[in-house]
Amino acid sequence: MTAPIIRTLEDLRALTAGWRLSGEAVGVVPTMGALHAGHLSLVEAAKSACDRVIVTIFVNPRQFNRLEDLKNYPRTEQEDAVKLAPFAVDVVYVPDPNQVYPDGFSTNVSLTGVTDVMEGPNRPGHFDGVATVVAKLFLQTGADKAFFGEKDYQQLMVVRHMARDLDIPVEVVGCPTVREPSGLAMSSRNLRLSEQGLLKAAVLFPTLQEAAAALSAGAGYESTIRQAQDRLIQSGFEKVEYLELHSAASLAALTRPSEPARLFAAAWVEGIRLIDNIPVARI
Ligand code: PAF
């Protein structure tokens, strides 16, 4: 038995109208499919907090700033439906592209501030695509709560700000990053790494941990970051796009964890771009 799939907004609205009439709390877990244990932990969180759970699967073309990435993104709808079956979610919404972007679609949801750092400048247009599609998914599902992983911490903040700014009545819930036994944060992109690549990629988490511990102990920012970058390159990463400390609340750049902070990284291994972040104990 696989979870039931709905492909049109009309069918989704017909289903959720009944839930709303009976006052049931609706949770949504937005995904682009290729589900892994990280996504399934969000589904579990939604199941325990809500009466009804919708999982959405939509590979959103607007958030890919590299055509290559969009083409290579794994599409595994049948396997995803099988993985969701044990969770007994109420519905999997897999909208046809014209249900999200009908002909003549001309709206763009664009934020400033939280998008000005890290993924923002490094992936032009990415957060416009995310904010636009997530706004649509919030409005289409009418969910009361939405569940996002902290692995994409900046995305979580973008979505939270967007919902607040647009008065969309949804609570955006952040859930902890799920990691492989090696420490590597779960990501659909890991599927594209070789065994060797996975070993190299696993160095990212301990590198962040070591640097975070050093910063919390009062070590200098420049030297700590340089050492962490060197360790990644020596371990086989081709490029470190950024490795930076930011405020957990505003995402403003910091050089010491004098307020709740997180250490963020984006780095390339075997031509795959990986991101991760961890909290840094306050000084
Ligand atoms: O994190 C993702 O999978 C996507 O960015 C999201 C939130 C489903 C929007 O397309």
Side-chain angles (χ1 to χ4, degrees), residues 30-33 39 56 58 60 63 73 126 129-130 133-134 137 148 152 155 159:
T31 82
M32 296 203 297
H39 296 113
T56 69
F58 180 65
N60 174 33
Q63 71 185 75
Y73 203 85
H126 169 67
V130 169
V133 80
V134 174
L137 293 171
F148 292 84
D152 296 295
Q155 167 174 279
V159 165

Side-chain angles (χ1 to χ4, degrees), residues 24 35 39 64 102 106 120 189 193 200 223 260:
E24 292 176 296
L35 301 182
H39 296 113
F64 287 84
S106 58
R189 291 172 185 235
L193 292 171
K200 293 176 188 170
S223 60

Side-chain angles (χ1 to χ4, degrees), residues 105 180 213-214 238:
F105 186 85
E180 302 284 358
E238 290 117 38

Side-chain angles (χ1 to χ4, degrees), residues 223-265:
S223 60
T224 303
I225 296 297
R226 200 173 334 105
Q227 275 169 31
Q229 287 171 336
D230 289 349
R231 179 172 173 191
L232 291 177
I233 297 296
Q234 278 154 20
S235 308
F237 277 83
E238 290 117 38
K239 182 178 163 194
V240 181
E241 208 163 278
Y242 60 78
L243 205 160
E244 296 169 4
L245 186 71
H246 288 264
S247 158
S250 68
L251 296 185
L254 300 175
T255 53
R256 58 196 298 272
S258 49
E259 59 180 282
R262 297 182 81 94
L263 191 58
F264 294 82

